Amino acid sequence: MTSSSGTEAMRWKDKPPPDRAWKGKPGLSRTERTAEQDRAAGGHDRRFIDLGEGRRALASVELKLLPNTRRIRAYLRWSDKGKTGTAYLGEVNEATRARNLATAWRLAFEQELLIVPEPAKNSWASTPASRKVMKANRSRDTKPELALRSAIHALGLRYRVDAPPVEGLRRRADVVFPRVKVAVFSDGCYWHGCAEHYRPAQRNDEFWNEKIEKNRIRDRDTDSKLEAAGWRVIRVWEHENPFEAASRIEEIVRNR
């Protein structure tokens, strides 16, 4: 999972973020600024916002530092008939501007603010079903995850969201209880290969099966690394009842 939420602990607690985390290089040409945004978005064709009535506009991400809170906020901006449109995306806290821009663009896609580009004719996502699966592949704040968090919160438990349990380990958990070292993952049945609901793809099955197997291996590796660091790992499938899962999590958290 990736970063950028006001619910996360701040990276910079005792001093302001360095300029390299948010400020653009001075003197960049328009072409260079465009290239920077294109790289962060994953391509020029991924930067368009739908204005309605068949119109669209090229968007850019702006990073702003809030001095009093030492937080960096990301905004999506575009122009429509001479007027500037703005959408707040969220807070970002990566160490470099490039990574914060990339995180912001991901947030823009997750919030469905941008037009999803049509894949190439020979793309592995060339079918409507594949595109639907890819569009639903949100890295955070999925419906099952939100339902689980709501159920946990209703039990009086407080937690961090989308955070790395272990500093230096590039793995993020969906819900984290730092004090008692409990990390919760809300796993999608398709992307994590649920034994009960996962069904192999009908087209490009070799590609998809390999991808799902890599996800499974990564999940096992994550569990192993966290457990070695003294953490209790809880995985909740999206098909599970969120209230029952929350009760299971509460019992473990309160008894740690």
Side-chain angles (χ1 to χ4, degrees), residues 95-237:
T96 66
R97 172 178 168 84
R99 291 173 63 180
N100 279 325
L101 286 175
T103 297
W105 279 107
R106 175 181 60 77
L107 289 172
F109 269 98
E110 289 180 355
Q111 295 170 27
E112 299 183 354
L113 297 173
L114 301 165
I115 299 172
V116 178
E118 287 295 322
K121 291 183 179 179
N122 296 325
S123 167
W124 47 265
S126 59
T127 67
S130 296
R131 288 197 295 274
K132 183 177 181 180
V133 168
M134 290 303 294
K135 187 174 181 180
N137 182 29
R138 298 165 66 97
S139 61
R140 59 166 289 173
D141 292 343
T142 61
K143 289 183 179 180
E145 183 183 333
L146 291 174
L148 178 63
R149 278 165 29 194
S150 177
I152 296 173
H153 192 276
L155 294 174
L157 298 178
R158 300 299 178 260
Y159 46 81
R160 292 175 61 194
V161 176
D162 184 33
V166 178
E167 186 174 354
L169 179 62
R170 299 186 64 181
R171 306 290 169 87
R172 309 181 74 83
D174 298 307
V175 175
V176 179
F177 300 90
R179 186 179 62 82
V180 294
K181 290 189 174 182
V182 173
V184 180
F185 295 84
S186 177
D187 292 340
C189 289
Y190 182 83
W191 291 103
H192 293 265
C194 167
E196 186 175 346
H197 297 105
Y198 173 70
R199 298 292 182 272
Q202 297 298 310
R203 296 184 60 181
N204 300 307
D205 58 320
E206 183 176 350
F207 171 86
W208 287 108
N209 290 340
E210 181 180 353
K211 185 174 182 65
I212 300 306
E213 183 56 30
K214 286 182 179 179
N215 288 345
R216 286 170 169 163
I217 293 173
R218 181 180 174 85
D219 288 344
R220 292 194 294 269
D221 182 63
T222 297
D223 294 350
S224 177
K225 284 183 168 60
L226 291 180
E227 289 168 358
W231 283 74
R232 174 67 183 272
V233 178
I234 304 174
R235 290 193 174 270
V236 179
W237 289 109

